[in-house]
Amino acid sequence: SEHQKTIAAKDEANAQLVQIRAQLEHALKDQHDVQAQANHLQEELKLREKELSAGTAELLNAKEEAESLQEEVKQGRNEVGRLEAEERRLAKEVKEMQRARE
């Protein structure tokens, strides 16, 4: 009868509605999981950026330190050269004094 058809159609619609709700809940859960994963990856990225920034700062400090040490080495070489020249000059003076005594 018409009444049974209406009930059957209503039951079918209800069944479809239950199915659609289940799919929607599943989709919402998937979306939530994806969002949580995106948030996690974003935090990971921030952490890596901080590490990279710290590493870059360390590299710059090390570079400055190396340049400073190179400058010290250069000054040391200049000092050694100056002292060697002074030593040669004094050795020459000593020889001249010894010759003068002879």
Side-chain angles (χ1 to χ4, degrees), residues 4-46:
Q4 285 175 323
K5 282 183 186 172
T6 306
I7 290 172
K10 189 178 171 190
D11 287 347
E12 175 67 24
N14 277 334
Q16 285 179 351
L17 190 61
V18 167
Q19 192 179 0
I20 289 169
R21 275 203 188 117
Q23 289 172 344
L24 182 61
E25 282 176 23
H26 187 73
L28 285 171
K29 187 190 176 305
D30 285 351
Q31 184 187 6
H32 178 77
D33 291 349
V34 167
Q35 186 62 53
Q37 194 176 4
N39 291 345
H40 173 73
L41 289 174
Q42 209 154 18
E43 287 304 310
E44 190 75 18
L45 181 62
K46 281 182 193 168

Coordinates of all heavy atoms in Angstrom, one line a residue, residues 4-46:
Q4 N 2.8 1.8 3.3 CA 4.0 1.0 3.4 C 5.2 1.6 2.5 O 6.3 1.6 3.0 CB 3.7 -0.4 3.0 CG 2.9 -1.2 4.1 CD 2.5 -2.6 3.6 OE1 2.2 -2.8 2.4 NE2 2.5 -3.5 4.5
K5 N 4.8 2.1 1.3 CA 5.9 2.7 0.5 C 6.5 3.9 1.1 O 7.7 4.1 1.1 CB 5.2 3.1 -0.9 CG 5.0 1.9 -1.8 CD 4.5 2.4 -3.2 CE 4.2 1.3 -4.1 NZ 3.5 1.7 -5.3
T6 N 5.6 4.7 1.8 CA 6.1 5.9 2.5 C 7.0 5.5 3.6 O 8.1 6.1 3.8 CB 4.9 6.7 3.0 OG1 4.0 7.0 1.9 CG2 5.3 8.0 3.6
I7 N 6.6 4.5 4.4 CA 7.4 4.1 5.5 C 8.8 3.5 5.0 O 9.8 3.8 5.5 CB 6.7 3.0 6.3 CG1 5.5 3.7 7.1 CG2 7.6 2.3 7.3 CD1 4.6 2.7 7.8
A8 N 8.7 2.7 3.9 CA 9.9 2.2 3.3 C 10.9 3.3 2.8 O 12.1 3.2 3.0 CB 9.6 1.2 2.2
A9 N 10.3 4.3 2.2 CA 11.0 5.4 1.7 C 11.7 6.2 2.8 O 12.8 6.6 2.8 CB 10.2 6.4 0.8
K10 N 10.9 6.3 3.9 CA 11.3 7.1 5.1 C 12.5 6.3 5.7 O 13.5 6.8 6.1 CB 10.2 7.2 6.1 CG 10.5 8.1 7.3 CD 9.3 8.3 8.2 CE 9.7 9.0 9.5 NZ 8.7 8.9 10.5
D11 N 12.4 4.9 5.8 CA 13.4 4.1 6.4 C 14.7 4.2 5.5 O 15.8 4.2 6.1 CB 12.9 2.6 6.5 CG 11.9 2.4 7.6 OD1 11.8 3.4 8.4 OD2 11.3 1.3 7.6
E12 N 14.5 4.2 4.2 CA 15.6 4.3 3.3 C 16.3 5.6 3.5 O 17.6 5.6 3.6 CB 15.1 4.1 1.8 CG 16.2 4.3 0.8 CD 17.3 3.2 0.8 OE1 17.0 2.1 1.2 OE2 18.4 3.5 0.3
A13 N 15.6 6.7 3.6 CA 16.1 8.0 3.8 C 16.9 8.1 5.1 O 18.0 8.6 5.2 CB 15.1 9.1 3.8
N14 N 16.3 7.5 6.2 CA 17.0 7.4 7.5 C 18.3 6.6 7.4 O 19.3 7.0 8.0 CB 16.0 6.8 8.5 CG 15.1 7.8 9.1 OD1 15.4 9.0 9.1 ND2 13.9 7.4 9.6
A15 N 18.2 5.5 6.7 CA 19.5 4.7 6.6 C 20.5 5.5 5.8 O 21.7 5.4 6.2 CB 19.1 3.4 5.8
Q16 N 20.1 6.2 4.8 CA 21.1 7.0 4.0 C 21.7 8.1 4.9 O 22.8 8.4 4.9 CB 20.4 7.6 2.8 CG 20.3 6.6 1.7 CD 19.6 7.2 0.4 OE1 19.1 8.3 0.5 NE2 19.5 6.4 -0.7
L17 N 20.8 8.7 5.7 CA 21.2 9.8 6.6 C 22.2 9.3 7.6 O 23.2 9.9 7.9 CB 19.9 10.3 7.3 CG 20.1 11.6 8.1 CD1 20.6 12.8 7.2 CD2 18.9 12.0 8.9
V18 N 21.9 8.1 8.2 CA 22.9 7.4 9.1 C 24.2 7.2 8.5 O 25.3 7.5 9.0 CB 22.3 6.1 9.7 CG1 23.4 5.3 10.4 CG2 21.1 6.4 10.6
Q19 N 24.2 6.7 7.2 CA 25.4 6.4 6.5 C 26.2 7.7 6.2 O 27.4 7.8 6.4 CB 25.0 5.8 5.2 CG 26.2 5.2 4.4 CD 25.8 4.5 3.1 OE1 24.6 4.4 2.8 NE2 26.8 3.9 2.4
I20 N 25.4 8.8 5.8 CA 26.0 10.1 5.5 C 26.7 10.7 6.8 O 27.8 11.2 6.8 CB 25.0 11.1 4.9 CG1 24.7 10.6 3.5 CG2 25.5 12.5 4.9 CD1 23.5 11.4 2.8
R21 N 26.0 10.5 7.9 CA 26.5 11.0 9.2 C 27.8 10.3 9.5 O 28.8 10.9 10.0 CB 25.5 10.8 10.3 CG 24.5 11.9 10.4 CD 23.9 12.0 11.8 NE 22.8 13.0 11.8 CZ 21.5 12.7 12.0 NH1 21.1 11.5 12.3 NH2 20.6 13.7 12.0
A22 N 27.8 9.0 9.3 CA 29.0 8.2 9.6 C 30.2 8.6 8.7 O 31.3 8.8 9.2 CB 28.7 6.7 9.4
Q23 N 29.9 8.8 7.4 CA 30.9 9.3 6.5 C 31.4 10.7 6.9 O 32.6 11.0 6.9 CB 30.4 9.4 5.1 CG 30.2 8.0 4.5 CD 29.5 8.1 3.1 OE1 28.9 9.1 2.7 NE2 29.5 7.0 2.4
L24 N 30.5 11.6 7.3 CA 30.9 12.9 7.8 C 31.8 12.9 9.0 O 32.8 13.5 9.1 CB 29.6 13.7 8.1 CG 29.8 15.2 8.5 CD1 30.5 16.0 7.4 CD2 28.5 15.8 8.8
E25 N 31.4 12.0 10.0 CA 32.2 11.9 11.2 C 33.6 11.4 10.8 O 34.6 11.8 11.4 CB 31.5 10.9 12.2 CG 30.4 11.6 13.0 CD 29.6 10.6 13.9 OE1 30.2 9.6 14.3 OE2 28.5 10.9 14.2
H26 N 33.6 10.4 9.9 CA 34.9 9.8 9.5 C 35.7 10.9 8.8 O 36.9 11.1 9.1 CB 34.6 8.7 8.5 CG 35.9 7.9 8.2 ND1 36.5 7.1 9.1 CD2 36.6 7.9 7.0 CE1 37.6 6.6 8.5 NE2 37.7 7.1 7.2
A27 N 35.1 11.7 8.0 CA 35.8 12.8 7.3 C 36.3 13.8 8.2 O 37.4 14.3 8.1 CB 34.9 13.4 6.2
L28 N 35.5 14.2 9.3 CA 35.9 15.1 10.3 C 37.1 14.6 11.1 O 38.0 15.3 11.4 CB 34.7 15.4 11.2 CG 33.6 16.4 10.6 CD1 32.4 16.4 11.5 CD2 34.2 17.8 10.4
K29 N 37.0 13.3 11.4 CA 38.1 12.7 12.1 C 39.4 12.7 11.3 O 40.5 13.1 11.8 CB 37.8 11.2 12.5 CG 38.9 10.6 13.4 CD 38.7 9.1 13.5 CE 39.8 8.5 14.3 NZ 41.1 8.7 13.8
D30 N 39.3 12.4 10.0 CA 40.4 12.5 9.1 C 41.0 13.9 9.0 O 42.2 14.1 9.1 CB 40.0 12.0 7.6 CG 39.9 10.5 7.5 OD1 40.2 9.8 8.5 OD2 39.4 10.1 6.5
Q31 N 40.1 14.9 8.9 CA 40.5 16.3 8.9 C 41.2 16.7 10.2 O 42.2 17.4 10.1 CB 39.3 17.2 8.7 CG 39.6 18.6 8.5 CD 38.4 19.6 8.4 OE1 37.3 19.1 8.6 NE2 38.7 20.8 8.2
H32 N 40.7 16.2 11.3 CA 41.3 16.5 12.6 C 42.7 15.9 12.6 O 43.7 16.6 13.1 CB 40.4 15.9 13.7 CG 41.0 16.2 15.1 ND1 41.0 17.4 15.7 CD2 41.7 15.3 15.9 CE1 41.6 17.3 16.9 NE2 42.0 16.0 17.0
D33 N 42.8 14.6 12.2 CA 44.1 14.0 12.2 C 45.1 14.7 11.3 O 46.3 14.9 11.7 CB 44.0 12.5 11.7 CG 43.2 11.6 12.7 OD1 43.0 12.1 13.8 OD2 42.9 10.5 12.3
V34 N 44.7 15.1 10.1 CA 45.5 15.9 9.2 C 45.9 17.2 9.8 O 47.1 17.6 9.7 CB 44.8 16.1 7.8 CG1 45.6 17.1 7.0 CG2 44.7 14.7 7.1
Q35 N 45.0 17.9 10.4 CA 45.3 19.2 11.1 C 46.3 19.0 12.2 O 47.3 19.7 12.3 CB 44.0 19.8 11.6 CG 44.2 21.2 12.2 CD 44.7 22.2 11.2 OE1 44.0 22.3 10.1 NE2 45.8 22.9 11.4
A36 N 46.1 17.9 13.0 CA 47.1 17.6 14.1 C 48.5 17.3 13.5 O 49.5 17.8 14.0 CB 46.6 16.4 14.9
Q37 N 48.5 16.6 12.4 CA 49.8 16.3 11.8 C 50.4 17.6 11.2 O 51.6 17.8 11.4 CB 49.6 15.3 10.6 CG 50.9 14.6 10.1 CD 50.6 13.6 9.1 OE1 49.5 13.3 8.7 NE2 51.7 12.9 8.7
A38 N 49.6 18.4 10.6 CA 50.1 19.7 10.1 C 50.7 20.5 11.2 O 51.8 21.1 11.1 CB 49.0 20.4 9.3
N39 N 50.0 20.6 12.3 CA 50.4 21.4 13.5 C 51.8 20.8 14.0 O 52.7 21.6 14.3 CB 49.4 21.3 14.6 CG 48.2 22.1 14.3 OD1 48.1 22.9 13.4 ND2 47.1 21.9 15.1
H40 N 51.9 19.5 14.1 CA 53.1 18.8 14.5 C 54.2 19.2 13.6 O 55.3 19.5 14.0 CB 52.9 17.3 14.6 CG 54.1 16.5 14.9 ND1 54.7 16.5 16.1 CD2 54.9 15.8 14.1 CE1 55.8 15.8 16.1 NE2 56.0 15.4 14.8
L41 N 54.0 19.1 12.3 CA 55.0 19.4 11.3 C 55.5 20.9 11.4 O 56.6 21.2 11.2 CB 54.6 19.1 9.9 CG 54.4 17.6 9.6 CD1 53.8 17.4 8.2 CD2 55.8 16.9 9.6
Q42 N 54.5 21.7 11.7 CA 54.8 23.2 11.8 C 55.7 23.4 13.0 O 56.7 24.2 13.0 CB 53.5 24.0 11.9 CG 53.7 25.4 11.4 CD 52.3 25.9 10.9 OE1 51.3 25.4 11.3 NE2 52.3 26.9 10.1
E43 N 55.4 22.7 14.1 CA 56.3 22.8 15.3 C 57.7 22.3 15.0 O 58.6 22.9 15.4 CB 55.6 22.0 16.5 CG 54.4 22.7 17.1 CD 54.6 24.1 17.6 OE1 55.6 24.3 18.3 OE2 53.8 25.0 17.2
E44 N 57.7 21.2 14.3 CA 59.0 20.6 13.9 C 59.8 21.6 13.1 O 61.0 21.8 13.3 CB 58.7 19.3 13.2 CG 59.9 18.4 12.9 CD 60.4 17.7 14.1 OE1 59.6 17.5 15.1 OE2 61.6 17.2 14.1
L45 N 59.1 22.2 12.2 CA 59.7 23.2 11.3 C 60.3 24.4 12.1 O 61.4 24.8 11.9 CB 58.7 23.7 10.2 CG 59.3 24.7 9.2 CD1 60.4 24.1 8.4 CD2 58.1 25.2 8.3
K46 N 59.5 24.9 13.0 CA 60.0 26.0 13.9 C 61.2 25.6 14.7 O 62.2 26.4 14.8 CB 58.9 26.4 14.9 CG 57.8 27.2 14.3 CD 56.8 27.6 15.4 CE 55.5 28.2 14.8 NZ 54.4 28.3 15.8

